[in-house]
Each structure stands twice: as structure tokens, then as C-alpha cells.
Amino acid sequence: GGSSWQMITRNYFREKMPDKEIVIVNAGIGGTTSEYGAKRFQRDVLAFNPDLVVIEFAVNDRSFGTSKGETRHQYSMESMIYQCTQAEKVPAVMFLYSNYPYASDSTDAQNIQYSIKAKEALAKFYNIPTVNAYEYCYDLYEDDKEKTSTSYTQWLEEEKRYYPKNNVHPYDNGYELFGEAIVEQFEKNGLDHYLKPVSLKSGFFCSSDRSKVVSRYNYLYMNDTSKFTYNGKWYLCNKENPRNELDASVPTKFYEYPYYPTGIVYTSTMDSSISFKCNAPEFHVSYITGLTGNDIVVLVDGREVSTISTSSTYDNMNYVSSAVTGVGGKVVTLKARYNTPLRICAIIERYNK
């Protein structure tokens, strides 16, 4: 929705600050949770030296499910806040909660509410402003005196046509409502309220495991052949810059995403492997799940220690990271178990701060 709500936000800033250059960086990756967001935050967000960071993971964080998942949301969200406070130029932070068409009549919707609740508690602790696009859109529905729909979902999908039927992703005019929700809050509270640099508290919200919040992540691209050794048949999923040392670029729909991470590698050949020396005590292998996935066999110094499945009930677009511990200073090998698709995005080394 970047061409819709983000442009509305940008144009508002341009109107209010005509003497400033306004740059919007879309660092979102579809199908991901705040866990992956925290791991790539330095690379994809803080590297641009932003003045304002808008974070929205409430919808995808519903995958953690129920109130028991609150802490897991909060570790990742607080990690991003912490990283902001440690930046050379500390930015302001704002949480955005997307609209969704199913109101309160589905498990998904209830889990989104748990996700929002978890983030609201964190926002209150750090005095971070929030914008709830769902509440804004639902108020429009409630205030529509001429509506004929018998439910919020019907109003969104059939009467107003903001959403395709049975889909959580709106049309452009549906995304525009997100921008209108943001502008309404800017007008109501004043821009200064949203542009105050976030400050670190004396204690941490997720104090039960401070190390998860203050961890340092080192993001390694898979096409960096100085770090990785490839065996078997691998391809680089990057149509802009095919790399011959990984055979050739493969025709896969994944590289069509406008913000697809650089250097994703692909294989569908059993026993194809990637080896590297891990310098951190823990690493996360970041990959894409799909209906037809593979198993990643993990070997440490030649000994098999675990197996990671890359199959899921979702289509071919869900990004996941799985942790492997006890690997500091050792050689790690990731091996495809089957002749089915395996797409690895990156290796993310995790250090305790």
C-alpha cells in the first residue's frame, strides 16, 4: 500500500514543511512478523538515518496467537525501539495498526486484538504515539448514515469496495484510509507530538530477558561468497544482477517484490548445501516458507544437530527465521533434504550486547 497511504503521509509533511526535503523509505516486507523486523532493523531502517520510523506488525504478529504470545511480540518491538535509542541520530517512533475487514467475527481478528494490546502496553511505557487505522475505518462505518450493509465486512467488500472479497489486503482506496487515519491524528495532536525522538527508560519493559532486547544482529547476505561455500545446485533470486557463481537467476515470482532482500538463494536439489563459519553464539537462518517446502538439515562441525522445515500452510511468501544456538566459532552447514523448493534469505548472527 506504499503508493497510497505512504504518499498521503508524505504529501502532508510536504504541505506542512515546504522548506524541507521529505523522503519516504518503504522498508516493509510482506508476510513477516516483528521478529524478522527486529533482526533487519539496522540494515533496512536505521541505515537511512530517519527522523520518524513508523512500525506496523500487528496484523502479521497475530500468527503468535492469543494473549500468551504478548511477550514474544514485545521483545521484538522493544528491540526496535532500543535500536532507535542507540542510533547516532535518535528518531521518533510511531506504531500503526492496520485495518482488517473481519471485525471481531474471526479468530484472526481476535489475535490481532491481542497483538495490538501487547503493542499498546509497550507504546504507553515509552510514550510512543499510535494510530489505529482499524478504529478509524470502523468509525466511518458506524457514522455512515446511508449504509445498507448488515456487517462491517460487507460494507468494506461489497458496498464501499475497499477490499476484495475474503482478502485482508485492501484496494488502493482502502489503503488511502490508512493515510487519512494518520493525517487525522497529526491534525488532532500536532506534528510535534509525533516527531519527538524516542527516549530510553531507566529500565526495560521486557525485563525478564533483557538480552533479547539489546541483542546485536549481524545480517549476512547469501550472495557474499567470501562468507559462504556452496555445494550442489544453487541459484540467485535477483533478476537485476544475476551472479554466475551461483549458476544463474531462476524465474521465480519472489524477485518481483519491490523490496525483496538482496541475495536470496534457491535450490530444489537434494543434498545441495551451504557452509559458513559462525562467529556468534547463535544464528538465525531466514527463509521463505510455502505450500511445497523443504527440510533444512543443520550440521555443526559435521555433526547433524537439528532439522528445520520450510513447509507451511501458507502460499509461497511467508518469511520465517529459525534460531540455532551453540555455534560460536564453528562451521555450520545447511543442507537441503529433498528435491523441493528451498529459499534462504540470509544468515543473521545474534550477539549478546
Side-chain angles (χ1 to χ4, degrees):
S3 61
S4 301
W5 73 265
Q6 292 176 29
M7 292 305 100
I8 288 174
T9 308
R10 183 195 67 182
N11 292 340
Y12 181 81
F13 275 107
R14 284 180 172 176
E15 177 187 335
K16 296 297 181 181
M17 302 177 177
D19 59 326
K20 304 289 185 184
E21 180 186 10
I22 307 300
V23 177
I24 297 281
V25 176
N26 180 4
I29 298 180
T32 65
T33 67
S34 57
E35 284 188 330
Y36 188 43
K39 292 177 178 67
R40 62 185 183 85
F41 196 73
Q42 179 64 46
R43 181 200 70 165
D44 290 350
V45 178
L46 293 182
F48 293 96
N49 201 28
D51 295 288
L52 171 65
V53 176
V54 181
I55 304 175
E56 200 297 311
F57 283 102
V59 172
N60 283 324
D61 274 2
R62 80 191 188 282
S63 61
F64 296 133
T66 76
S67 59
K68 294 179 181 177
E70 283 186 10
T71 304
R72 194 172 169 191
H73 305 169
Q74 291 162 341
Y75 282 140
S76 303
M77 297 294 289
E78 188 168 22
S79 172
M80 288 183 271
I81 297 168
Y82 175 77
Q83 291 178 66
C84 285
T85 66
Q86 301 305 296
E88 185 174 346
K89 182 182 77 176
V90 179
V93 176
M94 183 181 91
F95 289 173
L96 171 67
Y97 312 129
S98 292
N99 182 37
Y100 48 97
Y102 304 122
S104 59
D105 58 356
S106 71
T107 301
D108 258 1
Q110 293 169 7
N111 287 342
I112 291 173
Q113 287 302 320
Y114 285 130
S115 174
I116 292 175
K117 180 182 175 184
K119 291 166 177 57
E120 282 291 275
L122 195 62
K124 184 177 180 180
F125 182 82
Y126 281 100
N127 297 317
I128 290 172
T130 64
V131 174
N132 193 327
Y134 165 69
E135 289 185 352
Y136 175 83
C137 295
Y138 196 82
D139 286 345
L140 292 180
Y141 163 70
E142 292 276 87
D143 294 341
D144 186 353
K145 305 301 182 184
E146 299 179 357
K147 64 176 178 288
T148 58
S149 305
T150 57
S151 73
Y152 180 53
T153 303
Q154 185 186 31
W155 183 79
L156 287 172
E157 294 179 346
E158 299 176 23
E159 187 169 348
K160 292 297 184 179
R161 299 190 182 278
Y162 290 130
Y163 281 77
K165 203 165 183 63
N166 300 319
N167 198 316
V168 298
H169 300 289
Y171 295 118
D172 282 349
N173 62 343
Y175 276 121
E176 288 171 3
L177 297 179
F178 294 18
E180 292 170 12
I182 292 171
V183 168
E184 180 186 71
Q185 291 302 306
F186 284 170
E187 285 285 284
K188 179 180 178 181
N189 299 304
L191 268 180
D192 289 346
H193 178 68
Y194 295 88
L195 295 177
K196 295 176 183 174
V198 65
S199 59
L200 186 64
K201 298 286 187 177
S202 56
F204 286 84
F205 184 85
C206 297
S207 57
S208 59
D209 193 346
R210 180 177 178 272
S211 64
K212 286 187 178 179
V213 173
V214 301
S215 293
R216 180 170 66 84
Y217 296 105
N218 185 32
Y219 200 106
L220 304 178
Y221 291 103
M222 301 309 300
N223 61 344
D224 186 348
T225 51
S226 67
K227 301 280 196 323
F228 300 99
T229 301
Y230 288 87
N231 291 292
K233 197 167 185 64
W234 290 91
Y235 302 91
L236 189 71
C237 300
N238 185 341
K239 68 176 181 180
E240 294 180 359
N241 185 26
R243 297 289 292 270
N244 293 329
E245 66 268 23
L246 299 178
D247 292 329
S249 177
V250 290
T252 166
K253 73 177 185 179
F254 296 101
Y255 61 52
E256 295 171 3
Y257 286 108
Y259 204 82
Y260 201 75
T262 301
I264 293 178
V265 292
Y266 167 94
T267 188
S268 58
T269 305
M270 182 174 62
D271 292 334
S272 292
S273 65
I274 301 169
S275 297
F276 63 100
K277 185 175 181 180
C278 186
N279 297 310
E282 176 178 309
F283 78 91
H284 296 250
V285 53
S286 172
Y287 54 89
I288 301 171
T289 66
L291 297 176
T292 54
N294 206 322
D295 282 354
I296 303 172
V297 180
V298 182
L299 301 95
V300 177
D301 283 349
R303 182 175 64 88
E304 186 175 328
V305 297
S306 63
T307 300
I308 301 168
S309 175
T310 67
S311 296
S312 79
T313 57
Y314 295 98
D315 200 356
N316 301 323
M317 63 168 290
N318 217 42
Y319 294 74
V320 181
S321 292
S322 293
V324 180
T325 58
V327 289
K330 298 178 181 178
V331 175
V332 176
T333 300
L334 307 176
K335 185 168 65 173
R337 172 158 282 176
Y338 307 117
N339 292 320
T340 48
L342 173 60
R343 300 168 181 88
I344 298 180
C345 305
I347 299 299
I348 306 164
E349 296 180 311
R350 176 180 177 266
Y351 298 84
N352 290 329
K353 191 82 174 183

